[in-house]
Amino acid sequence: MIEPNGWADVGLSVLRTAAAQAPRHPGVYLFLDENDEILYVGKATNIRQRLGRHAATKEPGSRLHQRYDLVRRVVWEPAVDEEAAFWREEELIFALRPPFNGDPDLRSPGLRSRDALVPYVVVTETAEGTLAFTLEPAPSRVGRAYGCFPHLGKGMGSRLGVTCSDGYTAFVRLLWAASGDGLHVPASITRSAPTTFTAAAPAGIRDDLHRFLSGTSSRLADRLSQAASRRPAYMQPALRRDRAAALGFFAAGPKLVRARRLRHGVRAPVLDVETYRRLVRAEISPVVDPSG
């Protein structure tokens, strides 16, 4: 309970000690309670400074501040850069579902510990030379499924979600441009993460398409960009941006999933959502419990 004259004394003391010990590097940090349950996941460009700001709180001005009294331990995991810290935070929130991050008064909606919406890309050949791309909540028995990509879908407001969802849209738009169909971009691929889209597939791309969506190679983006170079000059700046965004989707989705599968020795080409969560939890476990 919060005492009127001793508000969060123990929790703030823990935070001050952690701030003095933490590195001055980008990364994520986790608040744990007396039972070592994870309460909150945060990210920082400088972990020491960020924890110092938490520890400098003078009074319970928000719900998060009011709960500092529950904190009994702080751990952290450095990241290579700020972008990696943002992505790691979002992965951990998705996997761990910490209660403080799930409070709409504490975080933006895109960073809540929400469920995956449409984490699978399913590719189906609908006619000779025509491919249908659909985003599905579960792997389909029809077509070839890829995933899971838990940050893919409409309304994903986190940085990783935007990179994945808008990047997927850019990928299918690049595919449309490379196919040579029409002069105007279809309305369905002007919005983030279209649930379905059908396009004529340029000749000979199927192997590269599989490698792209399975996270093995990003070569497809260059091939599509080259094929789309025949489009009018006024379209080229947007297509170059689409290529860059498509590579962002590759990094935030397929490549990330493949790296996780290989790291954990998972042979299944498609991960279910709970397995994805379990693998992320296993990655952070040594940080939370160094003794094993």
Side-chain angles (χ1 to χ4, degrees):
M1 297 293 292
I2 300 172
E3 298 296 335
N5 296 318
W7 170 74
D9 279 349
V10 176
L12 290 179
S13 175
V14 170
L15 289 169
R16 284 192 290 269
T17 300
Q21 297 172 347
R24 301 180 187 274
H25 298 299
V28 295
Y29 57 92
L30 295 79
F31 293 169
L32 293 86
D33 67 11
E34 60 185 359
N35 298 314
D36 272 352
E37 295 293 328
I38 297 168
L39 300 171
Y40 178 75
V41 176
K43 49 73 174 63
T45 57
N46 182 314
I47 302 174
R48 177 175 293 193
Q49 285 184 1
R50 185 69 187 99
L51 291 177
R53 287 196 291 273
H54 281 295
T57 301
K58 300 300 183 185
E59 59 183 20
S62 73
R63 288 194 182 185
L64 178 57
H65 295 160
Q66 291 169 6
R67 295 175 184 176
Y68 282 146
D69 64 321
L70 300 178
V71 178
R72 293 297 178 269
R73 195 156 66 91
V74 179
V75 297
W76 51 81
E77 180 186 71
V80 294
D81 55 29
E82 180 183 1
E83 186 77 0
F86 272 87
W87 286 19
R88 185 61 163 165
E89 180 202 34
E90 292 153 23
E91 289 273 80
L92 291 173
I93 290 172
F94 174 75
L96 300 172
R97 301 180 178 185
F100 286 14
N101 295 93
D103 190 327
D105 288 344
L106 303 180
R107 306 292 290 175
S108 64
L111 283 181
R112 295 182 210 166
S113 47
R114 64 188 301 170
D115 289 330
L117 300 177
V118 282
Y120 300 96
V121 177
V122 178
V123 182
T124 309
E125 188 159 0
T126 57
E128 185 65 33
T130 302
L131 297 176
F133 295 79
T134 58
L135 301 184
E136 301 286 354
S140 172
R141 295 184 178 181
V142 178
R144 190 166 199 167
Y146 300 88
C148 74
F149 310 130
H151 307 283
L152 176 60
K154 284 181 170 57
M156 291 291 187
S158 68
R159 186 177 296 194
L160 183 56
V162 170
T163 300
C164 201
S165 302
D166 287 0
Y168 173 77
T169 308
F171 158 66
V172 293
R173 200 158 48 228
L174 202 58
L175 184 66
W176 165 82
S179 73
D181 285 347
L183 296 176
H184 302 286
V185 178
S188 62
I189 55 174
T190 60
R191 297 180 292 272
S192 183
T195 55
T196 182
F197 182 71
T198 300
I205 72 158
R206 281 169 174 74
D207 285 347
D208 280 340
L209 175 63
H210 172 67
R211 294 188 184 100
F212 184 87
L213 291 175
S214 61
T216 305
S217 169
S218 62
R219 179 188 174 199
L220 178 65
D222 289 331
R223 288 194 61 185
L224 294 178
S225 184
Q226 180 62 35
S229 65
R230 296 188 294 271
R231 290 286 188 167
Y234 72 86
M235 297 179 67
Q236 295 307 312
L239 290 172
R240 285 192 291 272
R241 290 192 295 271
D242 280 343
R243 175 187 173 277
L247 290 173
F249 162 66
F250 175 79
K255 186 177 179 180
L256 196 64
V257 172
R258 182 172 186 269
R260 181 153 286 129
R261 286 177 46 244
L262 294 177
R263 186 181 310 125
H264 294 275
V266 177
R267 298 178 64 87
V270 179
L271 297 179
D272 64 78
V273 172
E274 286 311 311
T275 297
Y276 192 98
R277 280 193 165 108
R278 177 175 58 80
L279 297 181
V280 176
R281 290 195 295 266
E283 292 167 6
I284 200 65
S285 181
V287 175
V288 175
D289 183 11
S291 65

